[in-house]
Amino acid sequence: MNLTNIGLTEKINNDFLTLKQSDEMIIGRVALEHKHLYRVWTEHGELLCEVSGKFNFEALSREDYPAVGDWVMLKARVEEGKGTIYSVLPRFSKFSRKSAGRTAEEQIVAANVDTVFLVNSLNDDLNLRRIERYLLLTWESGANPVIVLSKADLCENVDERLAEVEAIAFGSVPVIAISAEMNRGIEKLAPYLQPGKTIALLGSSGVGKSTLTNVLLGVEKQAVKEI
């Protein structure tokens, strides 16, 4: 697996080399979080990992544990398809929310995201106040927002809707209208889709995130739902 294609940068690799505790350690990126287990992408492919006993003992809160997008230091047991995580490398951005329960503990939803595509549908579901909330959430995370207005083929007044959204985008946030179904406007997203960069998609159910993901991947990977 080419780690540069999934976001590895010189800075992250230097952090790893600085913190590396032994020659057995390798770097990997958390792709999926299960309960107490993590699917991690590494140079040896995907490994099912757990944190070490020392990691578990020293973790003070849920925020200290790995999250999707984190780069971690681990020892691999390649023949078993498994590994043990010893530390989480420094994060440069993070999306978090308060976890359910009596304590207001922070739960990291995604980490180390460079750009967030704020996907909103150009139909009756377009909500400017929601976009403003998404913008605030993205800025607070440390990532850069790009507003993606999907389903342009279903909108009769695209220019008017674009003007409405640009008015709340403060002039510095790109606003891009696309039609994933018709493959229109997708090329305008290309500058953000570079090796070493990580993109997250944020938006309501059914606004076109899965369709856009499928177009970018070139395969029908995600199931498509109605709004």
Side-chain angles (χ1 to χ4, degrees):
M1 181 176 288
N2 187 329
L3 299 185
T4 300
N5 288 343
I6 60 169
L8 183 64
T9 64
E10 185 177 354
K11 168 69 166 61
I12 295 169
N13 194 52
N14 286 339
D15 287 342
F16 165 67
L17 295 175
T18 300
L19 299 171
K20 190 175 180 180
Q21 299 164 1
S22 75
D23 290 339
E24 296 178 278
M25 296 288 187
I26 65 171
I27 189 173
R29 192 169 202 190
V30 178
L32 190 64
E33 179 183 354
H34 302 286
K35 190 172 184 180
H36 307 306
L37 291 173
Y38 305 88
R39 293 200 178 274
V40 181
W41 289 335
T42 75
E43 61 189 15
H44 302 296
E46 183 177 276
L47 302 177
L48 186 62
C49 299
E50 58 187 357
V51 298
S52 69
K54 184 177 185 229
F55 187 117
N56 205 38
F57 178 76
E58 294 180 346
L60 299 177
S61 67
R62 190 166 182 176
E63 182 186 4
D64 295 329
Y65 284 90
V68 172
D70 269 329
W71 290 95
V72 295
M73 187 183 306
L74 67 134
K75 286 183 180 178
R77 303 193 299 279
V78 179
E79 65 285 350
E80 301 176 34
K82 296 180 179 179
T84 302
I85 296 171
Y86 287 84
S87 66
V88 176
L89 298 182
R91 298 167 175 138
F92 62 80
S93 71
K94 64 178 182 178
F95 279 88
S96 63
R97 65 184 176 197
K98 300 301 180 184
S99 59
R102 295 181 180 179
T103 61
E105 194 172 32
E106 184 180 26
Q107 177 187 5
I108 307 297
V109 179
N112 301 317
V113 174
D114 294 283
T115 303
V116 180
F117 289 164
L118 307 177
V119 186
N120 294 265
S121 179
L122 276 170
N123 61 7
D124 294 336
D125 189 57
L126 186 65
N127 186 312
L128 299 181
R129 302 290 79 78
R130 183 189 300 134
I131 294 175
E132 288 178 333
R133 291 196 297 272
Y134 286 162
L135 285 170
L136 181 60
L137 180 63
T138 303
W139 281 319
E140 287 180 342
S141 78
N144 296 310
V146 173
I147 300 173
V148 178
L149 302 178
S150 63
K151 306 187 181 183
D153 55 305
L154 302 179
C155 181
E156 296 180 356
N157 55 339
V158 173
D159 290 341
E160 181 180 327
R161 288 299 180 95
L162 275 172
E164 292 175 1
V165 175
E166 287 170 349
I168 64 167
F170 307 104
S172 60
V173 179
V175 181
I176 301 172
I178 68 166
S179 170
E181 286 284 352
M182 307 298 292
N183 205 23
R184 295 178 189 163
I186 305 299
E187 71 283 353
K188 296 177 182 177
L189 303 178
Y192 308 100
L193 305 172
Q194 302 296 324
K197 299 297 182 181
T198 300
I199 309 297
L201 279 69
L202 181 63
S204 303
S205 175
V207 296
K209 300 188 302 298
S210 294
T211 302
L212 176 56
T213 298
N214 291 338
V215 169
L216 295 176
L217 289 174
V219 293
E220 293 294 318
K221 183 76 171 178
Q222 297 277 37
V224 178
K225 298 185 291 185
E226 296 297 324
I227 292 178

